[in-house]
Amino acid sequence: MEIKWLEDFVSLARTRNFSRSSKERNVTQPAFSRRIRALETWLGTDLIDRRTYPITLTEEGRLFRDTAETVLHDIYRDRAQFHQLQHTERPDIRIAAASTLSISFIPAWLKNIQEKIGPFTSHIMTENFHDMVRHLADGDIDFVLQYCSPDAPVLFDTTQFKVLTLARERMILVSPFAQDGKTPLLHPERDTEIPFIGYSKSGYFAEIESLMFLQNPKSRKKFKKISESPTSEFVKRMALEFGALTMVPESCARGEIQRGELVEIKADSWSHKLDIQIYRKTDTKRSITRKLWAALTDE
């Protein structure tokens, strides 16, 4: 059973004409007729007396018309109530972001924005990049925050979305400390076989990882990937647990570096510039979205 079958039947019961109802329902007449037949098959009885013109309802059809109209009325009433409730309870701003940005960047950034435009409620979600873009295009969220490298651009449709760069940081190579607490446990210039926690191809950072290895072709063969993930927080924790090298945004490892748990392998070739970018739909009508964007543009 599909709701559109009920809607088709109620339309046909009112117009008593297959051609008029098919146009009303924005479907070809053969497809409309098949859907009425599908409803009759599902119910196990004929609803339409096709021997008359205009068509008439069978006795079962007249009984079922009341049922169909009641069911549709109740469904749409409930949907309207749920939509109203969702609108009432909906946060002012909904953001989808890379998991690392959700932890290391967004909290302080949101606080700074609220100091400029006033308080607002927010909801932050983390999804894969494809789903983020789909939700943004459908209007389910207001903004997407994502890392981006000039050497591996994120391909957004610039006619459909607007973009701003919020900040810049670096992708860095990090190692746990050796037992002396002073030197890296592993170093690509010193060690010949290096356990490595990398990024899976489903994540954007897999491209940045490849770019960093292109900057260090002689060291590439030394790295032996023992685990992978699309998220920086996971590869960081795995590097600490397994005594391995990994690559993370600098902000992701800042706390561990300050606490002496991780150390950056400092070399220009093991550093890659990243932009933190924000995207919104070009034609958004939401006033809070435009207000926030205007504050960002002023900056």
Side-chain angles (χ1 to χ4, degrees), residues 7-288:
E7 294 170 330
D8 292 344
F9 172 67
V10 168
S11 172
L12 184 58
R14 186 183 69 257
T15 67
R16 301 174 64 192
N17 185 287
F18 275 90
S19 178
R20 285 172 57 191
S21 283
S22 63
K23 290 179 181 178
E24 183 179 277
R25 298 288 295 143
N26 195 30
V27 66
T28 64
Q29 185 170 331
F32 182 83
S33 298
R34 286 194 297 271
R35 282 163 30 172
I36 295 296
R37 280 293 189 191
L39 176 61
E40 292 176 316
T41 300
W42 190 87
L43 289 169
T45 189
D46 288 336
L47 301 174
I48 307 299
D49 187 344
R50 293 168 174 82
R51 299 171 298 176
T52 63
Y53 185 86
I55 62 101
T56 58
L57 301 181
T58 63
E59 180 64 25
E60 293 82 0
R62 287 191 292 274
L63 291 171
F64 187 68
R65 180 179 184 176
D66 291 338
T67 300
E69 289 176 341
T70 299
V71 168
L72 289 173
H73 174 270
D74 290 346
I75 287 174
Y76 289 130
R77 180 200 62 205
D78 288 348
R79 185 180 71 167
Q81 291 177 347
F82 295 151
H83 281 191
Q84 180 61 34
L85 181 63
Q86 184 183 40
H87 178 76
T88 302
E89 296 181 347
R90 177 186 174 180
D92 297 324
I93 294 292
R94 292 191 290 189
I95 300 171
S99 58
T100 302
L101 289 173
S102 298
I103 296 169
S104 63
F105 178 80
I106 287 180
W109 173 73
L110 280 178
K111 183 179 180 181
N112 179 61
I113 289 295
Q114 289 197 12
E115 290 173 353
K116 289 180 170 59
I117 70 173
F120 56 83
T121 59
S122 61
H123 174 74
I124 315 301
M125 66 182 73
T126 298
E127 297 182 303
N128 66 62
F129 183 68
H130 179 271
D131 287 340
M132 289 184 194
V133 177
R134 177 171 55 84
H135 287 311
L136 186 62
D138 292 343
D140 297 329
I141 58 176
D142 302 296
F143 299 104
V144 166
L145 269 72
Q146 179 71 19
Y147 282 111
C148 181
S149 164
D151 298 319
V154 176
L155 301 178
F156 265 80
D157 180 357
T158 56
T159 63
Q160 189 177 4
F161 304 104
K162 289 189 174 183
V163 58
L164 287 173
T165 297
L166 299 177
R168 290 185 170 89
E169 67 167 305
R170 298 178 302 137
M171 191 77 155
I172 59 175
L173 182 68
V174 294
S175 167
F177 270 105
Q179 289 185 348
D180 61 13
K182 298 178 181 179
T183 58
L185 178 65
L186 299 162
H187 199 291
E189 300 299 322
R190 181 190 67 207
D191 301 299
T192 56
E193 186 166 320
I194 301 169
F196 176 68
I197 312 296
Y199 290 95
S200 53
K201 292 182 179 180
S202 60
Y204 176 71
F205 279 154
E207 295 189 50
I208 308 303
E209 177 185 301
S210 296
L211 289 172
M212 289 183 70
F213 279 131
L214 285 174
Q215 295 171 189
N216 298 273
K218 293 182 179 179
S219 299
R220 178 67 186 92
K221 293 182 179 180
K222 299 179 180 181
F223 285 69
K224 308 297 179 184
K225 185 182 289 188
I226 60 174
S227 184
E228 66 179 20
S229 169
T231 64
S232 298
E233 288 295 324
F234 179 83
V235 301
K236 177 183 69 176
R237 299 311 310 172
M238 287 290 287
L240 286 166
E241 291 293 333
F242 285 84
L245 290 186
T246 195
M247 301 172 189
V248 291
E250 186 176 12
S251 60
C252 177
R254 185 173 292 123
E256 286 76 11
I257 290 174
Q258 290 174 347
R259 292 192 297 270
E261 299 172 9
L262 290 174
V263 59
E264 177 186 353
I265 305 299
K266 292 187 176 181
D268 289 343
S269 62
W270 289 114
S271 173
H272 192 89
K273 292 180 180 179
L274 293 173
D275 291 339
I276 298 173
Q277 295 187 329
I278 185 170
Y279 305 84
R280 75 161 174 90
K281 282 189 73 175
T282 300
D283 60 354
T284 182
K285 301 296 191 296
R286 302 195 69 229
S287 59
I288 183 65

